Amino acid sequence: MSICLGVLISGSGTNLQAIIDRMAAGTLDATIELVVSSRPSAYGLKRAEAAGIQTLTLSKEIYADPERADEVIASSLRRAGVDYVIMAGYMRMVHEPILAAFPNRVINLHPALLPSFKGAHAIQDAYDYGVKVTGVTVHVADGRYDCGPIIAQRALAVEEGWTVDELEEHIHAIEHELYPDVIQLLAEGRVRVDGGRVHVDPPLAEGAAGDGAASVTATL
């Protein structure tokens, strides 16, 4: 079945574009009903507008009260008929008004293998630490920063000599494949949260994700 998405962004919106492209290609059973940006200047808003998607931005004054901001966002998402809230580079925490309106249906993408390297600088932090393997995590948001039940992870072997910019490029390439894949799992009704763990039935198939990528793994 097709599901209706609300996408939260703060920046360039490359993951938003990846979702839009997969929908246009007919390989993602979803529609985007609303794109919400925490920044009026975010380029992702232009991507949404080019695709004919309704957008919403909030003023700094509203965001000064995070709970109030999330009440406005939750209300707007409900009016738009959203099934799942997709955080795609959204640089703010979500709070109870959104989480209560969409229980276990707020999904986040993180550019590291959680629980390692939480925070806004995960790629740089992993690079500085000298890790040999990093990757991407898609998880259910639970109101804590970069926490919540993990739906899927994809690992990336870090090659000797890569710069942090090269690492970032490979991470983004994985994001642009894995996130739409997980959203398709949601559309197919294959994701279930039980006892703080995610069950995917059947599990996300193994597959390549660009140069240097290890196989897909799903948390069961």
Side-chain angles (χ1 to χ4, degrees):
M1 70 175 187
S2 180
I3 56 174
C4 300
L5 309 177
V7 182
L8 310 185
I9 66 170
S10 293
S12 63
T14 59
N15 279 294
L16 168 65
Q17 188 65 57
I19 296 168
I20 292 171
D21 291 346
R22 284 280 294 271
M23 292 190 306
T27 58
L28 180 55
D29 298 325
T31 60
I32 300 175
E33 302 301 321
L34 182 65
V35 170
V36 180
S37 176
S38 63
R39 297 174 180 168
S41 61
Y43 187 76
L45 291 170
K46 297 184 183 297
R47 297 180 189 274
E49 291 162 3
I53 300 169
Q54 181 181 357
T55 64
L56 171 68
T57 58
L58 303 183
S59 68
K60 292 182 179 179
E61 289 74 21
I62 293 178
Y63 267 122
D65 182 345
E67 292 280 340
R68 172 57 180 153
D70 280 10
E71 287 175 1
V72 173
I73 293 170
S75 177
S76 299
L77 292 169
R78 284 196 300 265
R79 284 198 303 270
V82 165
D83 298 311
Y84 282 89
V85 181
I86 304 299
M87 301 172 68
Y90 189 62
M91 303 306 291
R92 302 183 65 94
M93 286 184 62
V94 293
H95 300 85
E96 188 61 21
I98 294 176
L99 296 171
F102 301 93
N104 290 328
R105 290 181 288 135
V106 182
I107 311 301
N108 187 45
L109 176 74
H110 186 71
L113 296 177
L114 292 174
S116 298
F117 304 111
K118 297 178 182 179
H121 307 289
I123 297 174
Q124 182 71 58
D125 291 345
Y127 181 83
D128 290 344
Y129 203 83
V131 298
K132 304 305 181 185
V133 177
T134 184
V136 174
T137 301
V138 181
H139 67 99
V140 179
D142 68 357
R144 297 171 295 167
Y145 202 62
D146 294 330
C147 291
I150 292 172
I151 301 173
Q153 294 181 307
R154 183 168 290 173
L156 173 69
V158 182
E159 294 189 9
E160 190 71 27
W162 277 0
T163 65
V164 67
D165 289 338
E166 289 173 315
L167 176 59
E168 184 172 5
E169 180 180 347
H170 287 282
I171 288 289
H172 289 331
I174 295 174
E175 291 177 342
H176 299 163
E177 291 188 5
L178 183 60
Y179 216 6
D181 284 350
V182 169
I183 295 170
Q184 182 61 27
L185 293 179
L186 300 174
E188 294 172 3
R190 292 169 54 189
V191 177
R192 175 173 55 89
V193 181
D194 182 22
R197 294 179 69 85
V198 171
H199 301 264
V200 181
D201 184 27
L204 186 61
E206 292 189 357
D211 295 340
S215 61
V216 173
T217 59
T219 299
L220 303 180

